[in-house]
Amino acid sequence: MSVPVLELRDVTFRRDGREILRGIDLTVRAGEHWAMLGPNGAGKSTVLGFCGALAHPTSGTVEVLGRRLGRVELQALRRDIGHVNPRHPIRGEESVRDVVFTGLTGTIERPIRWQPTPEQAAEADELIAEVGLTARRDAVWPTMSQGERGRALIARALIAHPRLMLLDEPTTGLDVAAREQLLETIDDLAHSAPEVASILVTHHLEELPESTTHALVIAHGAVVAAGPADEVVTTEIISHAFEHPITVTKEDGRWSARAVRERRTAGAR
Ligand code: ADP
Ligand code: MG
């Protein structure tokens, strides 16, 4: 088996006397595409924050791309990770292009004296076209819709040619066509860059791309199940994690979930 791109061992996170995560174990290898599923507040974004070298856990170890958090500078690690984070803290008037360029610098804002090479500028424009933002290339962050921001952040992640892609609810705010386009972009990436590993967070099974290979299900800050997607994304495990009877089906490579309706017994009507 290939070397792990990411390894979390017994990761715990406490804040204000509350245990937000406990005993999280996860190994992601090159070429694997993980889905992270779980109800709101389960701790998905917090787990992704460690994977993306945004924060340190309270205890346990996190190794990203062969480097241990706590022993290396977080900023340096971040340049090798494409993290699409809905809480991306842009405060200024960055344009779409500026946002994409910050994928190369590993920063939130474009450094004042930093200039792209002509090749980098051309690649940025290509990626902007790929995510369908060419007409909005010079739009600035405060005027962008949620969907446009999400797509800009995906182009930002891709320009760094990361070995690890982290996508935190990337389809939030997209209409159905834009969502499908985005899922296609993610599937294409699985083919064009087969060594890249990814983790996609969602609470909608319909948003899992066909390229999904593995799944991690968490609830209340702990792992419910982890492993090959077909063994984990099941009626039983999803119902347990979401504390609600849900029927999971898979058709043409895509999953869907439906709440189980209480059936009237035959003859009752
Ligand atoms: P999810 O992404 O699964 O919806 P989060 O990881 O965002 O869940 O949050 C899990 C829980 O941890 C939530 O109750 C959230 O309020 C809390 N939490 C996350 N980060 C912090 C923090 N830095 N300080 C305090 N509470 C936090
Ligand atoms: Mg979240």
Side-chain angles (χ1 to χ4, degrees):
M1 261 197 259
S2 54
V3 286
V5 167
L6 184 67
E7 197 145 40
L8 275 66
R9 284 287 159 263
D10 202 15
V11 163
T12 298
F13 186 61
R14 279 184 220 99
R15 270 292 178 277
D16 313 322
R18 230 182 100 213
E19 197 161 63
I20 291 167
L21 294 176
R22 67 201 135 88
I24 304 285
D25 290 312
L26 174 67
T27 303
V28 174
R29 293 172 196 279
E32 292 180 350
H33 301 289
W34 285 72
M36 180 158 36
L37 303 165
N40 264 324
K44 302 181 297 295
S45 295
T46 307
V47 170
L48 224 58
F50 302 136
C51 303
L54 290 184
H56 295 283
T58 306
S59 67
T61 60
V62 179
E63 230 170 86
V64 190
L65 304 169
R67 285 168 289 177
R68 171 86 64 95
L69 291 200
R71 293 197 187 150
V72 289
E73 197 210 333
L74 296 182
Q75 175 83 34
L77 252 180
R78 282 182 210 146
R79 276 195 294 271
D80 295 321
I81 303 166
H83 189 171
V84 177
N85 179 3
R87 294 183 208 150
H88 193 69
I90 293 182
R91 281 188 302 265
E93 297 260 315
E94 260 71 14
S95 69
V96 170
R97 290 183 98 216
D98 287 336
V99 171
V100 175
F101 289 140
T102 62
L104 292 166
T105 54
T107 56
I108 303 296
E109 263 126 49
R110 179 168 161 183
I112 290 166
R113 275 179 291 275
W114 187 90
Q115 286 296 331
T117 65
E119 292 77 24
Q120 288 171 332
E123 186 171 14
D125 288 338
E126 263 169 48
L127 289 168
I128 288 167
E130 208 168 293
V131 297
L133 283 179
T134 301
R136 296 281 287 153
R137 204 173 74 162
D138 300 313
V140 291
W141 191 258
T143 71
M144 290 161 65
S145 73
Q146 203 181 0
E148 287 170 344
R149 289 177 177 184
R151 285 184 277 158
L153 292 178
I154 286 158
R156 173 186 189 268
L158 292 173
I159 200 165
H161 299 282
R163 290 162 58 200
L164 177 62
M165 281 281 281
L166 307 171
L167 302 145
D168 198 343
E169 302 190 32
T171 50
T172 304
L174 299 185
D175 61 42
V176 64
R179 180 188 87 174
E180 291 302 308
Q181 259 172 32
L182 174 58
L183 295 179
E184 226 170 84
T185 305
I186 296 171
D187 274 330
D188 287 348
L189 185 70
H191 295 114
S192 62
E195 72 294 344
V196 171
S198 66
I199 306 179
L200 179 132
V201 174
T202 179
H203 34 227
H204 300 295
L205 299 191
E206 289 74 10
E207 297 186 344
L208 295 183
E210 283 187 50
S211 50
T212 306
T213 59
H214 293 74
L216 170 72
V217 178
I218 67 171
H220 303 294
V223 174
V224 173
D230 286 328
E231 291 169 24
V232 170
V233 187
T234 63
T235 292
E236 195 192 353
I237 290 171
I238 297 300
S239 297
H240 176 69
F242 285 80
E243 295 169 20
H244 193 81
I246 293 162
T247 305
V248 174
T249 52
K250 192 178 182 189
E251 206 175 320
D252 293 333
R254 295 281 294 272
W255 282 270
S256 59
R258 258 182 320 116
V260 179
R261 288 280 184 101
E262 290 212 6
R263 279 262 180 87
R264 290 181 198 172
T265 48
R269 52 184 156 144

